[in-house]
Amino acid sequence: MPQQTSLPTRLAELTAVQALELFRQRLLSPVELTQDCLARIEQHNPTVNAFAHVDTTQALTSARAAEARWHAGTPCGPLDGIPTTIKDLTLTAGMPTRFGSATSDPDDPWEIDAPISHHLRQAGAVILGKTTSPEFGWKGVTDNPLHGITRNPWDHRLTPGGSSGGAAAAAALNLGLLHQGSDAGGSIRIPCSFTGSFGIKPTFGWVPQWPASAMSQLSHLGPMTRTANDSALMLSVMAKPDARDGYLGNPRADDWLTPPPTSLKGWRIAYSPDLGYVDVAPDITASTRKAVEKLQDLGATVEEIDPGFDSPLEVFNTLWFAGASQVLERLDMDQQDKLDPGFLGIARRGADISLRDYLAACRAREQLTAQMQLFHQQYDLLITPTLPLSPFEAGHNVPPGGPYREWMEWTPFSYPFNLTQQPAASLPCGLDDQGLPVGLHLVGPRFQDLKVLQVARLLEQHLPDHPNLDL
């Protein structure tokens, strides 16, 4: 960490790592930074609709407490004073968690922090509010019956993706410096790709979840930020055990902030431009291939090879639809009438899945997991595009006029690695022919999240910077 850091001309360009150093040097206060974020939320949110709830009073109270601790030289944790957001699927004390659904009750007491909210608060994070999600996080774009359509900061006509679309839009505009997302089929990586942000879905078991997701062991919680460095910082706080999580698989702590290597000499990286079966837009392929060439320049041995599995779409849909059906069990018919028709449709399809078919999907998932474990005995990472296409018109589940019927069909690179529970990240790697962001997908072996983060942190130093949004 450098000993001296100059205050940037514009606070909107700060990363969390930079802000903490400025706090240490007393060149910036958490109150100033929080006020700046709140002012820009007021400026941008009417257009992008990234927030389901903003709590100015709670945020400023937390920021003032953090400011006092920094002045006393006693910060309470590694995120003390950093403006942060929580997704509207995660319980947060003092703020409503509506799940993007008109079936939720705004008058509930909202007194409980989920593990991730608790860990962030304990580390000193200033919680600004809750970011938008489709209803119960069910799809790869972000709109819902309660809060409407969330839009892409790069072009407001387009979707930011989903389901963590509000978090991604907020990250792209720096409406808060750290953002929590969730990912059961790509919901961190899809919107990070569409908005030029960084996000990682950690190995299942690193970050505790409670209450458990209806999608069970498909669902991962992780950070979404403007840089891989900031995600490493945030993950160092999020990836701690909590006794309420019955699925916690590996509570030991990695040193997520270990500096990346200066060279990738000795690393073996597999590059699959299409997994052997995906139709990818040529400009997406061109951007991702240039990033892969940078990996070679940094010393890695890169082999163009497919991991060797067929599309697991049917397997994923069986498990996904079955999970969605659990939501219906706690809703009466009047409440079901208030649901997004698309969500209601997949939930009802899930209710019709037989036990035989469900167990067959579980066995196929186990086979895919074992296959990828063997694959990673040869390769440190697998690289693919994050998505095969560019952002499309907001308010649609699939690109209008295209060949897709359901959102899972245009997200073929993400959901396979929810089935296998591997760490996977999306790193912005360039722009497509329309000047919109392209994501590079980095997939690592289970519990080797540090490899993904280190390569992402090194590579982002060597990739071209995006043009700045109007922050």
Side-chain angles (χ1 to χ4, degrees):
M1 184 80 63
Q3 293 300 307
Q4 293 294 323
T5 300
S6 298
L7 183 64
T9 304
R10 302 178 67 235
L11 297 184
E13 298 171 359
L14 271 184
T15 68
V17 171
Q18 291 170 336
L20 288 167
E21 182 60 22
L22 293 172
F23 293 165
R24 291 185 188 100
Q25 297 180 29
R26 299 192 181 183
L27 296 175
L28 177 68
S29 89
V31 173
E32 290 176 273
L33 184 57
T34 299
Q35 288 173 332
D36 179 76
C37 288
L38 290 169
R40 287 184 296 101
I41 290 170
E42 186 174 359
Q43 174 189 354
H44 291 289
N45 198 57
T47 304
V48 297
N49 191 30
F51 284 82
H53 177 80
V54 177
D55 193 324
T56 299
T57 300
Q58 185 176 148
L60 289 174
T61 298
S62 297
R64 292 186 189 106
E67 180 180 69
R69 291 190 292 268
W70 279 107
H71 283 172
T74 57
C76 70
L79 305 181
D80 205 6
I82 298 297
T84 301
T85 73
I86 306 291
K87 188 175 178 179
D88 190 37
L89 304 184
T90 301
L91 293 179
T92 309
M95 297 184 187
T97 301
R98 301 294 305 275
F99 307 98
S101 180
T103 66
S104 61
D105 185 352
D107 296 324
D108 278 355
W110 310 115
E111 296 173 340
I112 299 173
D113 269 338
I116 201 167
S117 302
H118 171 74
H119 290 331
L120 290 169
R121 283 194 210 271
Q122 290 294 106
V126 172
I127 309 300
L128 300 173
K130 309 296 289 290
T131 54
T132 52
S133 166
E135 191 165 38
F136 300 109
W138 80 272
K139 59 184 176 180
V141 297
T142 301
D143 58 68
N144 65 60
L146 194 60
H147 300 116
I149 297 172
T150 299
R151 298 182 180 276
N152 195 318
W154 287 78
D155 184 333
H156 298 152
R157 297 169 298 177
L158 307 178
T159 180
S163 65
S164 307
L173 291 166
N174 228 15
L175 308 180
L177 279 61
L178 303 176
H179 309 272
Q180 176 256 321
S182 62
D183 187 319
S187 291
I188 287 173
R189 294 158 291 157
I190 295 165
C192 280
S193 181
F194 274 180
T195 62
S197 306
F198 178 84
I200 181 170
K201 172 188 78 70
T203 299
F204 184 88
W206 274 126
V207 178
Q209 294 191 60
W210 180 89
S213 168
M215 302 309 173
S216 185
Q217 296 180 60
L218 292 173
S219 180
H220 306 229
L221 305 181
M224 300 171 68
T225 58
R226 286 167 62 84
T227 68
N229 269 347
D230 277 3
S231 277
L233 172 67
M234 192 176 183
L235 194 57
S236 72
V237 170
M238 297 168 69
K240 294 181 179 179
D242 187 289
R244 293 173 289 178
D245 181 5
Y247 283 125
L248 198 64
N250 193 340
R252 70 177 179 83
D254 254 359
D255 185 358
W256 306 106
L257 298 175
T258 299
T262 57
S263 166
L264 295 179
K265 185 176 181 180
W267 287 64
R268 294 195 64 195
I269 295 178
Y271 168 52
S272 177
D274 59 10
L275 292 181
Y277 57 82
V278 179
D279 184 15
V280 182
D283 53 345
I284 304 292
T285 299
S287 287
T288 54
R289 193 175 290 276
K290 286 179 182 177
V292 169
E293 291 170 357
K294 289 289 185 183
L295 293 172
Q296 292 176 307
D297 294 342
L298 289 166
T301 298
V302 178
E303 181 179 351
E304 188 165 328
I305 184 172
D306 299 324
F309 56 78
D310 296 328
S311 171
L313 179 59
E314 184 176 353
V315 174
F316 176 76
N317 281 351
T318 298
L319 299 175
W320 183 266
F321 295 169
S325 72
Q326 295 184 60
V327 176
L328 296 187
E329 295 177 4
R330 59 178 184 262
L331 301 178
D332 60 33
M333 293 306 297
D334 287 341
Q335 289 175 307
Q336 290 185 29
D337 287 342
K338 299 177 182 177
L339 292 172
D340 181 326
F343 174 74
L344 180 61
I346 69 162
R348 286 178 172 168
R349 287 162 67 183
D352 291 335
I353 292 171
S354 69
L355 178 60
R356 179 189 296 272
D357 288 344
Y358 183 82
L359 292 176
C362 291
R363 287 193 298 272
R365 176 183 188 170
E366 292 165 1
Q367 292 166 1
L368 178 60
T369 300
Q371 183 174 348
M372 287 307 301
Q373 287 176 321
L374 288 172
F375 182 82
H376 281 290
Q377 289 184 351
Q378 299 295 320
Y379 301 100
D380 294 287
L381 294 181
L382 168 66
I383 305 293
T384 74
T386 305
L387 290 167
L389 77 179
S390 299
F392 52 87
E393 186 179 349
H396 298 271
N397 293 347
V398 300
Y404 308 108
R405 297 168 299 170
E406 297 180 305
W407 72 266
M408 309 85 164
E409 296 175 7
W410 57 264
T411 62
F413 293 109
S414 58
Y415 64 77
F417 305 106
N418 293 83
L419 292 169
T420 61
Q421 301 184 334
Q422 294 172 243
S426 183
L427 173 73
C429 68
L431 302 176
D432 65 14
D433 289 349
Q434 304 169 66
L436 297 170
V438 175
L440 187 73
H441 197 212
L442 297 83
V443 182
R446 294 178 71 211
F447 298 112
Q448 295 296 316
D449 305 50
L450 189 58
K451 286 186 174 182
V452 176
L453 282 169
Q454 287 191 320
V455 170
R457 291 168 71 192
L458 177 61
L459 186 56
E460 75 178 355
Q461 299 172 26
H462 296 271
L463 293 173
D465 290 335
H466 288 165
N468 286 329
L469 290 168
D470 179 14
L471 301 178

